[in-house]
Amino acid sequence: MPFRYGNHSLAQQQLEPLALGRRREGTRDQEKDIRHRGLGADDAIVGLILQTPMKQARSLIGDAGVYFSNAFTVTALCCPSRSSILTGRYPHNHQVHNNSLTGNCSSPAWQKGPESLAFPVYLNKQYYQTFYGGKYLNQYGLKEAGDVGYIPPGWDQWHALVGNSKYYNYSLSVNGQEEKHGDHYDEDYLTDLIANRSLEFLDKRSPQRPFFMMLSPPAPHSPWTAAPQYQGAFSGTKAPRDGSFNKPGKDKHWLLRQALNPMSDTSIAFLDDAFRKRWQTLLSVDDMVEKVVKKLEDLQLLNNTYIFYTSDHGFHSGQFSLPIDKRQLYEFDIRVPLMVRGPGIKPNQTVKAPVLNIDLGPTFLDIAGVNLSTVNMDGQSFLSQMAPSLRNGSARPYFLVEHTGEGHTKPDPACPKLGPGLSHCFPDCVCEDACNNTYACVRTLAAENLQYCEFADSESFVEVYNLTSDPHQLENIVKKVDPALLQTMNLRLIKLQSCEGVTCRDTKH
C-alpha cells in the first residue's frame, strides 16, 4: 500500500510525503486488479486544473482511484499537522502547538509520549518493513531533540532531513548516522535523492513481508529551489486572482483586518514569484511519483499496493490580502488534496465525505489488519469510504480545526508600529500570525455547510460562514445567524475541544 503524507501537494499546497505500503498477505482474495481513472487533485483551490504541475500524480494515482473532494487538515501548520498524521490525534491531545522545540515539535516530551504510539509502531508490530525518506518534523535531528542518532520507533530504514525544508546543503540522519550533502544536482537534490532511495528499498525489501514507505520531499516549501531542468517552467504563471484574492478582511479577526488592502505591487510580485517557483519544485515530485509507480509495476506489486497522495496543510497566495503563508482558519489553508489508489478501490470516483489528516493513521492500520479498538487515536479509518466492498462505515458529520498563535516578545524592527506579539511580518509588514491568533473551529458538511470559529483573545471574537452561499468566506454572518444555531455550534466546539479517542468520533449531536 503506498501512502503519502506531506507538507503541500499541488499548486497551493506544500506537498511533502508520499506514503507507500503493501497490503498484508492473506487478503488478496478481497483485492481487485484495477486500472483507475478519475479526478486527480484539488485544483479547485488553485483554479488551474489543466495547468497543475502534478500531471503524473493525477494520472497514476487520482485517475487510477479515488479523489476526496473534502479532505482537511485539523491544523494548518507543519509540525502540529505532521504530528497529527503520525499519531492520529488532534493537537490538543498530542500537545504539539507550533514548529518550535518549546512548542513541543520533536521535543523529548513528544518522543517519550505521543511518538511512542504513532502508527509506524503498530505497523512494525505487524511485521511491516518500513521506510521513511525526507522531511520529518521541523526540529528533528537538533541536539536538543536527540541529535541525528535518534530514530523514531517503528522505522526500519530511516533517511530523515535534519531540521526544516532544504533542497541542497543539508544533513540527513541515515539510520542514525549523519550524512552531509552539498549543492550538486545529481548527488544532492533532495527530492530526487528520496525517490532514488525509495526505489532501492523496494528492490532490497523481503518479498515475504509487507512494506510501508513514507516519502516526504521538501517541495514546494521554501526556499523553492527547482531542479535545473525546471527552473524556466511556468514562466507566465501567476497566482490565481479569483475568490478572495486581494479582498479586504472585513468583519474578520483583527489579524486579517491589519493586512494592507489593496496589496502593494511589491507584495503581488513577491507572491506571484513564490507561486511560480513552488510549481517548478513540484515537477520533480511528479517525477518521483512516476518513478515509484513504475517500479511497483516492474516488481508486479502495483495492483497489490495502496498509494496515498496528500499534504499536511494548504497555503494562501494573496487571499484576503495576506501575501503567502498558512495558519489561517479558511478553506485555502485547511483543505488538502487527497488521492488514493489500491486494491478494492473502483476507478473514476470522487468521494465527498469529509476526511481528516488524523484519519490517515487509522486507515493505514486498518489496511494492515490492526484492530483499531486497541489503538487510542482520535481519527477514524476511511477505508469504507473508498473501498466499501472491504469495509462498512459512516462519515463524520462535523470536526474540529484548531491553531495556537505565535508572536515575538519584541516588536519587529521592520514594522515597529505594530508592537510585540506578532510574527511572520513579510513582505511589506503584513503579519501572518500573532499570539492571539489562537482559535478553534467546528466545520460541518452534513445538513449544513458551515464553519463556526472562536478566538482566544480579549474580544472572544467569533466568525461564522455559510459555505454553500459563500464558498470564499467573504462574509462573516455571526450577527445574522439564528442564535439557536450558534449555541448548537458552540456546544459542539466545547465537546470537540476536550475529546479524546472514541469521543472525538462520537459526534451525533
Side-chain angles (χ1 to χ4, degrees):
M1 27 186 232
F3 314 94
R4 170 173 189 214
Y5 125 56
N7 195 9
H8 299 285
S9 69
L10 293 200
Q12 288 245 77
Q13 267 117 32
Q14 285 172 299
L15 152 155
E16 285 178 26
L18 175 65
L20 302 154
R22 185 178 174 192
R23 190 171 177 83
R24 292 182 64 210
E25 300 297 331
T27 58
R28 290 180 179 175
D29 58 324
Q30 296 177 316
E31 300 166 356
K32 299 178 181 179
D33 182 4
I34 301 171
R35 303 289 296 182
H36 301 305
R37 297 187 60 80
L39 202 59
D42 192 4
D43 286 355
I45 299 176
V46 288
L48 296 171
I49 294 176
L50 298 179
Q51 297 184 43
T52 172
M54 303 304 300
K55 292 181 180 180
Q56 291 298 323
R58 289 180 60 200
S59 174
L60 297 172
I61 304 175
D63 292 353
V66 59
Y67 167 60
F68 289 85
S69 59
N70 289 303
F72 295 87
T73 179
V74 298
T75 185
L77 187 59
C78 313
C79 198
S81 180
R82 288 165 173 270
S83 301
S84 285
I85 291 170
L86 291 163
T87 62
R89 298 183 184 183
Y90 281 115
H92 68 262
N93 286 327
H94 63 57
Q95 292 294 305
V96 178
H97 301 299
N98 55 48
N99 294 338
S100 70
L101 201 62
T102 56
N104 214 24
C105 179
S106 201
S107 69
W110 151 263
Q111 294 168 5
K112 294 176 183 177
E115 191 178 46
S116 66
L117 297 173
F119 75 78
V121 175
Y122 294 94
L123 289 179
N124 196 257
K125 292 179 181 179
Q126 296 291 103
Y127 302 103
Y128 270 73
Q129 302 164 89
T130 55
F131 173 95
Y132 194 94
K135 178 180 174 181
Y136 182 61
L137 300 174
N138 297 57
Q139 302 300 320
Y140 170 77
L142 302 185
K143 290 184 179 180
E144 300 86 349
D147 217 332
V148 296
Y150 173 73
I151 302 173
W155 298 107
D156 299 318
Q157 288 293 317
W158 182 249
H159 300 256
L161 178 67
V162 175
N164 204 358
S165 299
K166 290 184 177 181
Y167 298 78
Y168 295 109
N169 299 306
Y170 56 85
S171 289
L172 291 179
S173 171
V174 178
N175 298 323
Q177 299 296 316
E178 184 175 18
E179 182 180 281
K180 293 185 177 181
H181 285 266
D183 56 4
H184 297 287
Y185 170 69
D186 292 338
E187 300 174 1
D188 303 313
Y189 192 69
L190 184 54
T191 303
D192 290 355
L193 182 144
I194 294 166
N196 293 335
R197 295 198 178 178
S198 71
L199 303 184
E200 292 175 7
F201 170 78
L202 289 172
D203 280 331
K204 295 177 180 179
R205 86 205 186 288
S206 169
Q208 282 72 44
R209 293 170 55 197
F211 68 90
F212 177 94
M213 300 186 347
M214 181 171 279
L215 312 185
S216 183
H221 199 285
S222 61
W224 314 311
T225 308
Q229 66 270 30
Y230 296 135
Q231 289 180 3
F234 308 115
S235 59
T237 300
K238 296 181 178 180
R241 265 46 173 180
D242 57 353
S244 55
F245 181 85
N246 208 7
K247 296 287 177 64
K250 182 181 179 182
D251 298 326
K252 291 178 168 52
H253 189 243
W254 77 270
L255 188 64
L256 274 290
R257 301 196 302 268
Q258 58 87 33
L260 178 67
N261 180 266
M263 287 186 288
S264 68
D265 290 343
T266 55
S267 284
I268 292 176
F270 180 84
L271 68 89
D272 278 339
D273 182 63
F275 187 89
R276 183 165 49 252
K277 289 178 178 177
R278 287 162 60 81
W279 272 32
Q280 292 170 354
T281 66
L282 284 172
L283 291 172
S284 293
V285 179
D286 207 35
D287 291 341
M288 180 184 73
V289 171
E290 183 180 23
K291 291 176 183 177
V292 171
V293 172
K294 185 178 184 303
K295 174 61 72 173
L296 290 170
E297 190 170 32
D298 291 345
L299 295 172
Q300 299 183 348
L301 294 172
L302 184 59
N303 294 324
N304 196 34
T305 302
Y306 288 91
I307 305 177
F308 290 69
Y309 175 101
T310 189
S311 155
D312 57 3
H313 54 76
F315 200 77
H316 56 258
S317 295
Q319 284 72 32
F320 294 123
S321 303
L322 297 173
I324 60 163
D325 200 50
K326 49 264 187 179
R327 297 178 171 85
Q328 306 306 326
L329 57 88
Y330 307 101
E331 297 285 283
F332 44 75
D333 279 4
I334 65 173
R335 280 185 176 268
V336 296
L338 176 59
M339 302 179 286
V340 188
R341 68 171 289 171
I345 301 176
K346 293 182 179 181
N348 202 21
Q349 289 191 79
T350 298
V351 172
K352 296 182 179 180
V355 171
L356 311 180
N357 63 343
I358 59 173
D359 298 335
L360 289 167
T363 304
F364 300 160
L365 299 185
D366 192 9
I367 290 171
V370 175
N371 182 352
L372 295 182
S373 67
T374 65
V375 178
N376 185 25
M377 291 184 173
D378 304 335
Q380 63 187 48
S381 170
F382 56 88
L383 182 58
S384 63
Q385 302 295 325
M386 59 186 180
S389 64
L390 301 181
R391 292 286 187 279
N392 295 320
S394 59
R396 58 168 58 76
Y398 55 89
F399 57 90
L400 176 69
V401 176
E402 53 190 343
H403 173 71
T404 302
E406 295 178 87
H408 301 301
T409 57
K410 297 180 180 180
D412 188 327
C415 36
K417 66 178 182 179
L418 295 178
L422 296 103
S423 61
H424 299 87
C425 301
F426 68 91
D428 299 322
C429 193
V430 177
C431 300
E432 299 277 1
D433 205 5
C435 291
N436 64 1
N437 185 42
T438 297
Y439 58 80
C441 305
V442 173
R443 181 76 170 87
T444 177
L445 287 89
E448 318 97 349
N449 187 9
L450 297 174
Q451 185 180 34
Y452 172 92
C453 302
E454 295 182 1
F455 283 83
D457 61 9
S458 59
E459 297 179 272
S460 297
F461 199 81
V462 176
E463 295 187 29
V464 182
Y465 299 99
N466 182 330
L467 285 103
T468 300
S469 60
D470 180 23
H472 299 296
Q473 299 167 286
L474 298 174
E475 182 184 10
N476 179 6
I477 58 172
V478 63
K479 296 180 181 179
K480 299 181 179 180
V481 176
D482 183 345
L485 178 58
L486 292 179
Q487 183 178 21
T488 297
M489 297 296 276
N490 170 260
L491 292 174
R492 289 176 177 173
L493 182 61
I494 292 172
K495 179 179 179 180
L496 283 171
Q497 284 185 284
S498 60
C499 77
E500 182 178 4
V502 67
T503 61
C504 296
R505 305 187 293 274
D506 181 19
T507 52
K508 298 179 182 179
H509 304 291

